[in-house]
Amino acid sequence: EDDLLVEVGLLAADALAASEARFRSYVEMAPDGVIVVSPEGRFLDWNPATTAMLGRSDEQIRSLQALEAFVPDDRERVAADIE
């Protein structure tokens, strides 16, 4: 019985890893920017399309507050969407 539980656990872990890899590839290959922002408004993760859209290096993006990436006219709307 214990061996069966271990086997099921390993299969579930493998399935989760495969699912996460697929999702990561979808995000990395997306033609649109995909951004993960912390509750404090810092960029946590982004895809290559975001880097291209912003025209900044990963280091520059990492140092931005998320709202700084948007034109001033859009910041209020985006701030409301984030909340």
Side-chain angles (χ1 to χ4, degrees):
E1 185 175 305
D2 287 342
D3 289 341
L4 179 59
L5 289 176
V6 169
E7 183 69 24
V8 169
L10 292 174
L11 290 172
D14 288 346
L16 178 60
S19 175
E20 289 173 345
R22 277 192 312 278
F23 180 77
R24 170 60 71 181
S25 72
Y26 299 151
V27 170
E28 292 295 319
M29 302 302 290
D32 298 319
V34 177
I35 304 167
V36 177
V37 178
S38 74
E40 296 80 28
R42 289 283 190 209
F43 284 90
L44 297 176
D45 199 9
W46 55 92
N47 67 347
T50 300
T51 304
M53 277 183 356
L54 297 178
R56 300 177 186 220
S57 70
D58 285 346
E59 186 173 309
Q60 290 170 323
I61 294 171
R62 193 171 290 107
S63 69
L64 288 175
Q65 282 288 330
L67 292 179
E68 293 174 323
F70 296 90
V71 296
D73 290 346
D74 288 343
R75 289 181 185 163
E76 187 174 322
R77 179 186 55 78
V78 171
D81 288 346
I82 291 172
E83 294 176 2

